Amino acid sequence: MKYSYKFEEDPFGDLRIVLPEEISLFSDFIENIATEEQADEYIEYIEKVLKGEHEDFEIDLNGISVMIKKDVTNVENPFLIDEPYENSIETDQFKELILIWRYKIPEIFKG
């Protein structure tokens, strides 16, 4: 993983993934992935783009959208009050972040 990350509990007791400022909006998207099956589905979409089966693929999740392309994935959160509303990350690193979250899901949603 090229980017640093850590898990922190927010004031409501929910576990969050904290990412560097330049990719911080990806946490808004990733934290909405609630099941391992959902994570697997998104990983499958990413792999199809990386293999060239799709030129790109867009996922909208609770108002936050990601546009997956072979080299770069962009995230947009139009509901933020302050900029930036968009971030970009290498697609292989986006996949890695989803895998990291996927393996944390049983712990996060155990209750």
Side-chain angles (χ1 to χ4, degrees):
M1 168 53 60
K2 175 180 172 180
Y3 299 94
S4 65
Y5 67 91
K6 63 182 176 178
F7 294 98
E8 285 184 359
E9 220 175 81
D10 70 12
F12 302 105
D14 296 324
L15 198 63
R16 301 210 48 189
I17 187 168
V18 180
L19 300 171
E21 184 74 26
E22 68 269 19
I23 62 165
S24 62
L25 297 182
F26 282 93
S27 65
D28 296 340
F29 178 84
I30 290 168
E31 291 167 2
N32 280 295
I33 301 172
T35 67
E36 293 164 286
E37 293 79 16
Q38 186 180 15
D40 291 341
E41 178 183 347
Y42 296 165
I43 290 165
E44 186 177 323
Y45 297 147
I46 294 167
E47 288 175 348
K48 287 183 178 186
V49 172
L50 290 172
K51 292 177 185 174
E53 293 177 33
H54 297 297
E55 183 176 329
D56 56 40
F57 198 91
E58 185 171 13
I59 304 169
D60 290 310
L61 182 61
N62 291 335
I64 303 165
S65 64
V66 292
M67 175 59 78
I68 304 162
K69 295 189 176 190
K70 188 168 187 161
D71 296 322
V72 176
T73 296
N74 298 306
V75 64
E76 180 181 16
N77 186 344
F79 299 104
L80 294 175
I81 295 170
D82 297 319
E83 292 186 24
Y85 306 110
E86 297 181 28
N87 286 160
S88 297
I89 191 174
E90 300 87 344
T91 298
D92 63 334
Q93 296 299 298
F94 178 56
K95 177 183 170 186
E96 185 70 25
L97 282 172
I98 292 180
L99 282 167
I100 289 165
W101 185 256
R102 184 212 184 277
Y103 293 113
K104 199 79 171 168
I105 287 173
E107 180 183 333
I108 296 167
F109 298 103
K110 64 183 172 200

